[in-house]
Amino acid sequence: MSATTAPASAHGATDAHVLDALIIGAGFSGLYQLHALRDRLGLSAQVLEAGDGVGGTWYWNRYPGARCDSESHSYAYYFSDELVQEWTWSERYPGQAEILRYLNHVADRFDLKRDIRFGARVTEAHYDAAANRWHVRTEAGERYTATYLITAVGCLSAANIPQIPGLDSFAGQWYHTGQWPHEGVDFTGKRVGMVGTGSTGIQAAPVIADSAAHLTVFQRTANYSIPARNAPLAEEFKHWAKQNASEIKRTMRSTPNGHPFVIADRSAHDVSEAERRAIYEAAWEKGGLQFRASFRDLLQDKAANDTAAAFLRSKIGEIVKDPATAAKLAAIDHPFATKRPPIDTGYFETFNRDNVALVDVRATPIERVTPAGIQTRDGTEYPLDIIVFATGFDAMTGPLLKMDIRGRDDVSLRDAWQAGPRTYLGLQVPGFPNLFTITGPGSPSVLCNMPVPIEHHVEWIADCIRTMRENGIARIEAKPEAAEKWVEHVNDAANATLLPQAGHSWYLGANVPGKPRVFMPYAGGMARYRDICADVVARNYEGFSLTR
Ligand code: NA7
């Protein structure tokens, strides 16, 4: 179904492409949303995508070592059994290139690309109440108009590039991991500085150290990390995953984080110290995020969490040979898993290499970038040829607020969210009718294996639009009081866990100077969230205003 081009009067939107639905972004969310609206509902729908290909996160994040931390058989769509059966993952965790191949396969299989406009970066989206339409404009000046606007922009797509004085003067090259050059970066013989030790920095460091002459890692916050134990998948596992697809899907949908494993039903206090150590050792050997599921109370009970934290710190001490470096790496100031827990391939081992050094920039902050490198507050200058910023993202709100989104009465989303994001279910914002935000702030999103909340949101939105059209409803809009209550519930859910104790996490917006501190993802668990959303629908979209 293709768009028609017709004059649209409001906002001077002449020669706009006229559609039922516009979707912003061609990652996991946007691709499935297009399929759901176009192929199941028969709507005219179009995706606008800034990149020149599909993939979203996996289109942009091409840094060395880029790999998903969800296991490959779970990091996939489950809406089509044929798709599950025909795609075979090669490794325990999918690498960036393989995920990109998968998403291209999906886009081709469902013939999605004909309705995706690539190289189309959306700059503004304004709601026209009289026409009940969204008017959307791209950077190139193209105009579109649609009844429904769905943002599928991802949670981690607005790069956080630190405003360090002197960066412009740097004589070498610098890169942000989330905007990595497609042709790659050759580190051979280079002195590299890498800023940031989140999941990305922890994945990139070992790979960079392999080819660079020297790598200096600038660490602000020390981090836990668990070995990924990545490996090629055995044929038996590949077969098992396909044979048991329904069971895997059921498990992912019933667990709080959408992963294909269940959280052990025991407290860390239920077992002796020796048993606990044995359980952690086994989880460490097995590798991956399942470590977090060793006990049910690791994210609720500080004393329970302390046992995991102590174990993981002790592992750093065992791996890293230089005691001063080990001490800096293990000086972790937040409970385990209160920031997104990285998994790694040889991260701590990297610090045993002769060509790798660690600089603690909490003790001696970065003062400036000079033409020759990075200078810290104690006056030391680290000479560098390349700087890699693995400094994360303006998470969740950043990708939305980069666009000029205006709802009823010309109110901008930026103004509406001045004190922090306010959504109902993470799916809608009061004052912005017929705008849906996939994995928006207030949804479980980043606390989950992402395809699980994405599939849920896409299907919820498609069902909502179907219901609207079947019942002659022109407009759906979250009620302010429903959003108020939801924000309160999101806060309560976070406060029932240890998550807010990582005061500098991006879950709170604390990594971006000036950003309001609001705990953004919903920590009540995906399964509970799914029930809440179903209940809202059963109560005839309770909390939403529906207008004919
Ligand atoms: P993260 O997790 O936000 O990590 C960014 C890292 O960069 C973290 O160590 C930050 O330290 C550090 N950082 C950020 N700004 C600075 C400045 N100005 N100076 C020094 N260090 C800085 O992003 P990732 O890309 O690693 O991971 C994002 C998600 O992608 C991850 O959670 C997975 O879901 C996949 P801080 O901790 O803020 O002190």
Side-chain angles (χ1 to χ4, degrees):
M1 200 141 315
S2 59
T4 53
T5 304
S9 56
H11 296 256
T14 49
D15 298 329
H17 303 274
V18 180
L19 297 136
D20 294 322
L22 263 176
I23 300 157
I24 307 175
F28 259 97
S29 308
L31 293 179
Y32 183 29
Q33 191 71 76
L34 174 61
H35 175 55
L37 295 182
R38 187 192 69 180
D39 304 332
R40 293 192 192 143
L41 265 62
L43 266 57
S44 64
Q46 170 100 39
V47 175
L48 300 176
E49 164 58 53
D52 289 328
V54 302
T57 289
W58 304 104
Y59 175 87
W60 300 103
N61 281 266
R62 299 176 188 233
Y63 61 86
R67 190 176 290 285
C68 186
D69 52 12
S70 292
E71 300 200 26
S72 54
H73 66 292
S74 67
Y75 198 71
Y77 295 110
Y78 269 78
F79 67 81
S80 156
D81 194 46
E82 293 80 33
L83 176 60
V84 173
Q85 296 305 324
E86 75 198 13
W87 182 264
T88 304
W89 295 101
S90 67
E91 292 177 272
R92 180 174 175 188
Y93 303 92
Q96 176 269 336
E98 189 168 21
I99 302 172
L100 206 52
R101 275 200 300 281
Y102 171 71
L103 291 173
N104 273 287
H105 167 74
V106 172
D108 292 337
R109 185 191 195 286
F110 294 101
D111 193 15
L112 299 175
K113 288 179 183 168
R114 69 185 154 94
D115 286 312
I116 304 174
R117 182 98 169 105
F118 293 108
R121 184 179 291 281
V122 172
T123 50
E124 63 177 51
H126 294 179
Y127 177 66
D128 171 1
N132 187 34
R133 295 192 74 81
W134 282 91
H135 300 300
V136 172
R137 198 184 159 108
T138 68
E139 204 168 50
E142 279 196 323
R143 291 168 186 275
Y144 296 81
T145 169
T147 309
Y148 315 102
L149 178 63
I150 298 116
T151 60
V153 291
C155 298
L156 300 166
S157 52
N160 172 38
I161 299 169
Q163 303 294 304
I164 303 175
L167 185 54
D168 286 350
S169 73
F170 184 52
Q173 275 81 46
W174 66 265
Y175 307 94
H176 186 279
T177 49
Q179 299 172 342
W180 203 256
H182 287 198
E183 63 280 13
V185 175
D186 184 4
F187 294 106
T188 315
K190 305 285 189 193
R191 296 161 304 173
V192 182
M194 189 189 77
V195 184
T197 52
S199 294
T200 299
I202 281 176
Q203 285 185 338
V207 186
I208 296 174
D210 260 349
S211 58
H214 190 271
L215 171 67
T216 307
V217 176
F218 295 87
Q219 169 190 277
R220 185 163 72 182
T221 304
N223 219 337
Y224 303 94
S225 188
I226 295 155
R229 311 267 182 228
N230 187 42
L233 286 175
E235 290 308 314
E236 306 81 73
F237 183 87
K238 293 178 189 172
H239 184 69
W240 174 86
K242 289 186 185 188
Q243 292 297 107
N244 292 278
S246 316
E247 184 56 29
I248 292 167
K249 180 174 173 178
R250 214 175 5 260
T251 306
M252 293 194 299
R253 289 184 166 206
S254 63
T255 57
N257 299 107
H259 284 289
F261 47 78
V262 290
I263 297 171
D265 188 21
R266 63 184 169 214
S267 159
H269 306 300
D270 286 346
V271 295
S272 70
E273 203 180 324
E275 283 172 294
R276 210 163 42 225
R277 176 103 202 164
I279 288 167
Y280 286 143
E281 281 289 359
W284 174 270
E285 280 314 312
K286 188 163 187 201
L289 290 175
Q290 199 166 353
F291 186 94
R292 204 171 40 173
S294 298
F295 296 103
R296 65 162 184 263
D297 48 357
L298 292 184
L299 259 186
Q300 282 78 32
D301 176 341
K302 178 67 167 52
N305 191 291
D306 285 346
T307 64
F311 174 86
L312 293 171
R313 284 198 189 93
S314 76
K315 285 292 180 192
I316 299 173
E318 285 171 26
I319 298 169
V320 180
K321 295 194 181 115
D322 172 49
T325 303
K328 283 185 211 164
L329 289 166
I332 307 171
D333 64 357
H334 52 279
F336 166 61
T338 54
K339 297 180 96 168
R340 175 96 176 205
I343 61 174
D344 70 273
T345 300
Y347 176 64
F348 294 119
E349 290 82 349
T350 295
F351 293 94
N352 293 333
R353 299 176 65 122
D354 293 339
N355 69 334
V356 175
L358 179 68
V359 176
D360 176 359
V361 297
R362 173 81 42 94
T364 50
I366 294 174
E367 190 135 276
R368 64 180 67 255
V369 175
T370 66
I374 286 180
Q375 187 184 314
T376 49
R377 189 171 292 170
D378 58 357
T380 311
E381 189 183 55
Y382 297 88
L384 302 170
D385 304 305
I386 295 175
I387 302 174
V388 174
F389 289 109
T391 43
F393 302 90
D394 180 355
M396 305 198 76
T397 52
L400 294 167
L401 297 179
K402 273 205 305 196
M403 300 177 282
D404 177 26
I405 300 180
R406 287 171 188 270
R408 267 191 298 105
D409 307 322
D410 210 30
V411 172
S412 74
L413 189 62
R414 191 168 283 282
D415 287 343
W417 284 3
Q418 205 157 32
R422 282 169 66 249
T423 71
Y424 181 37
L425 305 173
L427 285 166
Q428 265 224 330
V429 185
F432 296 78
N434 294 352
L435 169 68
F436 299 92
T437 51
I438 301 180
T439 61
S443 106
S445 59
V446 290
L447 297 177
C448 299
N449 171 35
M450 286 302 279
V452 176
I454 285 171
E455 285 197 327
H456 169 269
H457 293 350
V458 164
E459 288 163 10
W460 192 95
I461 292 165
D463 285 348
C464 174
I465 291 176
R466 177 192 284 125
T467 304
M468 289 172 72
R469 295 173 81 83
E470 285 172 357
N471 293 280
I473 293 160
R475 219 183 298 242
I476 182 166
E477 180 181 350
K479 292 180 181 167
E481 59 274 21
E484 228 44 73
K485 270 173 73 180
W486 183 251
V487 170
E488 215 174 283
H489 179 59
V490 170
N491 275 318
D492 290 346
N495 289 332
T497 72
L498 303 173
L499 287 164
Q501 292 196 17
H504 39 61
S505 94
W506 56 258
Y507 294 152
L508 271 166
N511 62 330
V512 175
K515 189 166 172 171
R517 301 225 171 171
V518 174
F519 195 88
M520 292 182 285
Y522 175 59
M526 187 58 215
R528 184 167 162 209
Y529 173 85
R530 186 185 295 278
D531 289 346
I532 294 171
C533 290
D535 206 43
V536 163
V537 173
R539 292 167 191 268
N540 198 21
Y541 288 90
E542 188 178 48
F544 292 97
S545 295
L546 305 175
T547 319
R548 282 179 193 281

